[in-house]
Amino acid sequence: MRKILITNDDGIEASGLRRLVDAVRDLGEIWIVAPDGERSTSSHAITLHGSIDIYPYDYGIEGVNAFTCSGTPGDCVRVGSLSVMPYKPDVVLSGVNNGYNTATDIQYSGTCGAAFEASFQGFIGIALSEGQGGVHEVTDKYLREIVKELIDKKLEFGEIWNVNFPNCSLSDFKEIRRDRKISKSMFFVDRYQKTASLDNGGARYVINGRYQEKAEEGTDIQALIDNSISISIVNNVGI
Protein backbone atom coordinates (compact mmCIF):
# COMPACT_ATOMS: atom_id res chain seq x y z
CA MET A 1 0.00 0.00 0.00
CA ARG A 2 1.19 3.51 -0.84
CA LYS A 3 2.58 5.42 2.15
CA ILE A 4 1.47 9.08 2.27
CA LEU A 5 2.93 11.72 4.59
CA ILE A 6 0.82 14.88 4.89
CA THR A 7 1.89 18.22 6.35
CA ASN A 8 1.18 21.93 5.96
CA ASP A 9 2.27 25.34 7.23
CA ASP A 10 -1.09 26.47 8.65
CA GLY A 11 -0.98 24.04 11.58
CA ILE A 12 -2.51 20.67 12.35
CA GLU A 13 -5.95 22.15 13.12
CA ALA A 14 -6.26 23.92 9.76
CA SER A 15 -9.37 23.11 7.76
CA GLY A 16 -7.34 22.78 4.56
CA LEU A 17 -5.35 19.92 6.06
CA ARG A 18 -8.49 18.06 7.11
CA ARG A 19 -10.08 18.51 3.70
CA LEU A 20 -6.93 17.10 2.10
CA VAL A 21 -6.92 14.08 4.41
CA ASP A 22 -10.59 13.43 3.71
CA ALA A 23 -9.96 13.64 -0.04
CA VAL A 24 -7.03 11.22 -0.21
CA ARG A 25 -7.52 8.82 2.69
CA ASP A 26 -8.38 5.95 0.35
CA LEU A 27 -5.25 6.45 -1.78
CA GLY A 28 -2.86 4.94 0.77
CA GLU A 29 -1.79 4.70 4.38
CA ILE A 30 -2.02 8.18 5.88
CA TRP A 31 0.53 9.72 8.25
CA ILE A 32 0.26 13.34 9.38
CA VAL A 33 3.15 15.28 10.87
CA ALA A 34 2.10 18.92 10.95
CA PRO A 35 3.16 22.03 12.87
CA ASP A 36 1.53 22.62 16.25
CA GLY A 37 0.67 26.16 15.12
CA GLU A 38 0.91 28.66 12.27
CA ARG A 39 4.20 28.46 10.29
CA SER A 40 3.35 30.46 7.15
CA THR A 41 6.22 32.00 5.14
CA SER A 42 8.75 29.75 6.85
CA SER A 43 10.09 28.74 3.43
CA HIS A 44 12.46 25.74 3.54
CA ALA A 45 13.79 26.48 7.02
CA ILE A 46 14.80 23.57 9.25
CA THR A 47 15.85 23.39 12.88
CA LEU A 48 19.59 22.85 13.34
CA HIS A 49 20.02 24.26 16.85
CA GLY A 50 17.70 23.13 19.59
CA SER A 51 15.22 20.30 19.79
CA ILE A 52 12.04 19.38 17.94
CA ASP A 53 9.10 18.09 19.98
CA ILE A 54 6.73 15.52 18.51
CA TYR A 55 3.42 14.58 20.13
CA PRO A 56 0.73 12.10 19.04
CA TYR A 57 -2.49 13.86 18.06
CA ASP A 58 -5.99 12.44 18.03
CA TYR A 59 -7.15 13.38 14.54
CA GLY A 60 -10.48 11.64 14.93
CA ILE A 61 -10.21 9.56 11.75
CA GLU A 62 -9.70 5.82 12.10
CA GLY A 63 -6.47 4.59 10.53
CA VAL A 64 -4.86 8.03 10.32
CA ASN A 65 -1.61 8.34 12.28
CA ALA A 66 -1.23 11.98 13.34
CA PHE A 67 1.46 13.93 15.20
CA THR A 68 2.18 17.56 15.99
CA CYS A 69 5.64 19.04 15.49
CA SER A 70 7.15 22.07 17.21
CA GLY A 71 9.29 22.84 14.17
CA THR A 72 8.82 24.08 10.62
CA PRO A 73 7.06 22.33 7.73
CA GLY A 74 10.50 21.24 6.53
CA ASP A 75 11.16 19.75 9.96
CA CYS A 76 7.84 17.91 9.76
CA VAL A 77 8.94 16.17 6.57
CA ARG A 78 12.43 15.40 7.84
CA VAL A 79 11.43 14.10 11.28
CA GLY A 80 8.29 12.48 9.94
CA SER A 81 10.02 10.53 7.20
CA LEU A 82 13.27 9.77 9.01
CA SER A 83 12.05 9.02 12.53
CA VAL A 84 8.30 9.12 13.16
CA MET A 85 7.19 6.81 10.36
CA PRO A 86 8.46 3.21 10.57
CA TYR A 87 9.19 3.31 6.83
CA LYS A 88 9.80 5.96 4.18
CA PRO A 89 6.81 7.61 2.52
CA ASP A 90 6.21 7.31 -1.19
CA VAL A 91 4.82 10.81 -1.44
CA VAL A 92 4.50 13.95 0.66
CA LEU A 93 1.39 16.12 0.30
CA SER A 94 1.67 19.67 1.66
CA GLY A 95 -1.47 21.77 2.14
CA VAL A 96 -4.10 22.68 1.34
CA ASN A 97 -2.63 26.11 2.04
CA ASN A 98 -4.86 29.08 2.82
CA GLY A 99 -3.53 31.41 0.12
CA TYR A 100 -1.94 31.01 -3.30
CA ASN A 101 1.69 29.95 -3.68
CA THR A 102 2.67 31.22 -7.10
CA ALA A 103 5.46 33.09 -8.85
CA THR A 104 7.99 34.74 -6.53
CA ASP A 105 5.93 33.86 -3.45
CA ILE A 106 7.00 30.22 -3.89
CA GLN A 107 10.39 31.03 -2.38
CA TYR A 108 8.78 32.16 0.89
CA SER A 109 6.21 29.39 1.13
CA GLY A 110 6.35 26.87 3.95
CA THR A 111 3.92 24.75 1.95
CA CYS A 112 6.34 24.55 -0.96
CA GLY A 113 9.32 24.29 1.39
CA ALA A 114 7.91 21.05 2.80
CA ALA A 115 7.42 19.68 -0.72
CA PHE A 116 11.01 20.62 -1.63
CA GLU A 117 12.26 18.79 1.45
CA ALA A 118 10.35 15.74 0.25
CA SER A 119 12.16 15.93 -3.08
CA PHE A 120 15.53 16.25 -1.34
CA GLN A 121 14.75 13.13 0.69
CA GLY A 122 13.88 11.20 -2.46
CA PHE A 123 10.05 11.34 -2.28
CA ILE A 124 7.46 12.84 -4.60
CA GLY A 125 6.47 16.26 -3.24
CA ILE A 126 3.14 17.92 -4.06
CA ALA A 127 2.29 21.41 -2.78
CA LEU A 128 -1.41 22.32 -2.80
CA SER A 129 -2.81 25.83 -2.28
CA GLU A 130 -6.02 27.79 -2.78
CA GLY A 131 -7.21 31.40 -2.58
CA GLN A 132 -7.98 33.06 0.74
CA GLY A 133 -11.56 34.02 -0.09
CA GLY A 134 -13.03 30.96 1.58
CA VAL A 135 -14.63 29.56 -1.58
CA HIS A 136 -13.62 25.88 -1.63
CA GLU A 137 -15.91 24.56 -4.35
CA VAL A 138 -13.26 24.02 -7.03
CA THR A 139 -10.68 22.70 -4.59
CA ASP A 140 -13.02 20.17 -3.04
CA LYS A 141 -14.30 18.92 -6.40
CA TYR A 142 -10.91 18.46 -8.07
CA LEU A 143 -8.50 17.90 -5.16
CA ARG A 144 -8.65 14.11 -5.11
CA GLU A 145 -8.60 13.85 -8.91
CA ILE A 146 -5.46 15.95 -9.23
CA VAL A 147 -3.62 14.28 -6.36
CA LYS A 148 -4.44 10.89 -7.86
CA GLU A 149 -3.11 12.11 -11.22
CA LEU A 150 0.21 13.31 -9.77
CA ILE A 151 0.83 10.98 -6.83
CA ASP A 152 2.97 8.47 -8.73
CA LYS A 153 4.55 10.82 -11.28
CA LYS A 154 8.22 11.06 -10.36
CA LEU A 155 10.18 14.24 -11.00
CA GLU A 156 13.85 15.11 -11.13
CA PHE A 157 15.76 15.77 -7.91
CA GLY A 158 14.80 19.20 -6.53
CA GLU A 159 11.52 19.38 -8.46
CA ILE A 160 7.99 19.44 -7.02
CA TRP A 161 4.43 19.60 -8.25
CA ASN A 162 2.86 22.94 -7.36
CA VAL A 163 -0.93 23.08 -7.61
CA ASN A 164 -3.11 26.15 -7.04
CA PHE A 165 -6.92 26.15 -7.00
CA PRO A 166 -8.83 29.32 -7.96
CA ASN A 167 -11.01 31.17 -5.48
CA CYS A 168 -14.21 30.96 -7.48
CA SER A 169 -17.47 29.05 -7.67
CA LEU A 170 -17.84 25.95 -9.81
CA SER A 171 -20.11 27.89 -12.14
CA ASP A 172 -17.26 30.35 -12.84
CA PHE A 173 -14.53 27.69 -13.05
CA LYS A 174 -12.92 27.34 -16.50
CA GLU A 175 -10.47 24.42 -16.68
CA ILE A 176 -7.39 22.62 -15.40
CA ARG A 177 -4.24 24.13 -16.92
CA ARG A 178 -1.17 21.90 -16.74
CA ASP A 179 2.47 22.73 -17.45
CA ARG A 180 2.11 26.33 -16.32
CA LYS A 181 5.21 28.49 -16.32
CA ILE A 182 6.15 30.34 -13.13
CA SER A 183 5.15 33.97 -13.47
CA LYS A 184 7.61 36.79 -12.90
CA SER A 185 4.74 38.91 -11.63
CA MET A 186 2.99 38.78 -8.24
CA PHE A 187 -0.47 39.19 -6.75
CA PHE A 188 0.78 41.68 -4.15
CA VAL A 189 3.32 44.44 -4.75
CA ASP A 190 4.84 44.71 -1.29
CA ARG A 191 5.63 47.93 0.51
CA TYR A 192 6.04 48.83 4.17
CA GLN A 193 4.06 51.34 6.17
CA LYS A 194 5.56 53.11 9.16
CA THR A 195 3.26 52.70 12.13
CA ALA A 196 5.27 54.19 14.98
CA SER A 197 8.38 56.12 15.89
CA LEU A 198 10.49 54.42 18.51
CA ASP A 199 13.06 55.60 21.02
CA ASN A 200 16.61 56.33 19.87
CA GLY A 201 15.60 57.08 16.29
CA GLY A 202 13.91 53.74 15.67
CA ALA A 203 10.83 53.09 13.57
CA ARG A 204 8.23 50.34 13.38
CA TYR A 205 6.95 49.06 10.03
CA VAL A 206 4.28 46.63 8.89
CA ILE A 207 3.92 45.13 5.44
CA ASN A 208 1.21 46.73 3.32
CA GLY A 209 0.89 45.02 -0.07
CA ARG A 210 -1.06 46.41 -3.01
CA TYR A 211 -3.15 43.78 -4.82
CA GLN A 212 -2.92 43.49 -8.60
CA GLU A 213 -3.95 41.07 -11.32
CA LYS A 214 -1.22 41.18 -13.92
CA ALA A 215 0.66 38.24 -15.37
CA GLU A 216 2.15 36.72 -18.50
CA GLU A 217 0.12 34.29 -20.62
CA GLY A 218 0.74 30.64 -19.90
CA THR A 219 1.73 31.24 -16.27
CA ASP A 220 0.44 30.07 -12.90
CA ILE A 221 -0.92 33.49 -11.94
CA GLN A 222 -2.72 33.98 -15.25
CA ALA A 223 -4.45 30.61 -14.82
CA LEU A 224 -5.84 31.72 -11.45
CA ILE A 225 -6.89 35.11 -12.80
CA ASP A 226 -8.81 33.16 -15.44
CA ASN A 227 -10.52 31.02 -12.75
CA SER A 228 -8.54 27.92 -13.70
CA ILE A 229 -6.49 25.39 -11.75
CA SER A 230 -2.74 25.82 -12.21
CA ILE A 231 -0.37 22.82 -12.19
CA SER A 232 3.36 23.55 -12.43
CA ILE A 233 6.66 21.78 -12.02
CA VAL A 234 8.87 23.98 -9.85
CA ASN A 235 12.63 23.70 -9.52
CA ASN A 236 14.40 24.60 -6.32
CA VAL A 237 16.56 27.68 -6.89
CA GLY A 238 19.68 25.72 -5.98
CA ILE A 239 19.21 22.95 -8.52
Side-chain angles (χ1 to χ4, degrees):
M1 178 181 288
R2 188 187 289 114
K3 308 299 188 296
I4 303 173
L5 174 59
I6 300 180
T7 190
N8 69 354
D9 71 1
D10 292 323
I12 198 161
E13 296 183 354
S15 63
L17 180 69
R18 184 164 293 273
R19 288 164 43 230
L20 175 57
V21 173
D22 286 339
V24 305
R25 56 188 295 194
D26 67 331
L27 298 181
E29 181 180 320
I30 304 297
W31 291 77
I32 301 171
V33 181
D36 55 16
E38 178 77 35
R39 300 288 191 279
S40 294
T41 66
S42 56
S43 188
H44 196 167
I46 60 172
T47 301
L48 291 180
H49 306 287
S51 58
I52 299 170
D53 298 334
I54 301 290
Y55 286 96
Y57 183 88
D58 183 4
Y59 207 67
I61 300 178
E62 184 177 356
V64 172
N65 308 281
F67 300 83
T68 63
C69 174
S70 65
T72 67
D75 288 328
C76 292
V77 176
R78 290 172 64 87
V79 177
S81 65
L82 300 177
S83 296
V84 176
M85 295 180 66
Y87 27 67
K88 299 294 179 65
D90 300 298
V91 61
V92 173
L93 306 179
S94 183
V96 174
N97 188 67
N98 180 29
Y100 297 137
N101 282 305
T102 57
T104 54
D105 286 342
I106 292 170
Q107 66 187 318
Y108 306 114
S109 167
T111 304
C112 292
F116 279 124
E117 183 59 41
S119 178
F120 289 173
Q121 295 296 333
F123 320 129
I124 297 168
I126 305 175
L128 302 145
S129 306
E130 64 182 355
Q132 290 184 309
V135 181
H136 307 306
E137 292 180 31
V138 177
T139 307
D140 291 346
K141 180 173 177 58
Y142 290 97
L143 179 57
R144 184 184 183 280
E145 173 185 329
I146 288 176
V147 170
K148 189 175 181 180
E149 173 187 336
L150 302 178
I151 199 167
D152 296 318
K153 287 188 176 181
K154 295 188 180 296
L155 299 171
E156 297 297 323
F157 180 79
E159 291 183 339
I160 65 169
W161 295 105
N162 189 39
V163 182
N164 283 271
F165 298 89
N167 182 48
C168 67
S169 66
L170 278 173
S171 61
D172 290 329
F173 173 67
K174 297 295 192 303
E175 60 187 348
I176 300 173
R177 296 186 183 177
R178 298 168 176 83
D179 302 320
R180 295 300 91 188
K181 296 180 292 184
I182 306 305
S183 176
K184 295 179 181 178
S185 185
M186 60 195 73
F187 276 118
F188 286 91
V189 178
D190 287 338
R191 54 192 175 185
Y192 287 82
Q193 178 181 352
K194 183 178 177 180
T195 60
S197 297
L198 306 177
D199 293 340
N200 301 317
R204 177 172 295 146
Y205 292 87
V206 296
I207 197 166
N208 181 22
R210 176 175 56 83
Y211 183 78
Q212 65 170 13
E213 291 189 355
K214 178 182 177 183
E216 315 90 326
E217 287 297 324
T219 62
D220 50 3
I221 288 184
Q222 189 59 54
L224 296 168
I225 292 172
D226 293 341
N227 289 342
S228 297
I229 294 171
S230 169
I231 302 178
S232 303
I233 296 175
V234 181
N235 293 284
N236 183 272
V237 293
I239 301 302

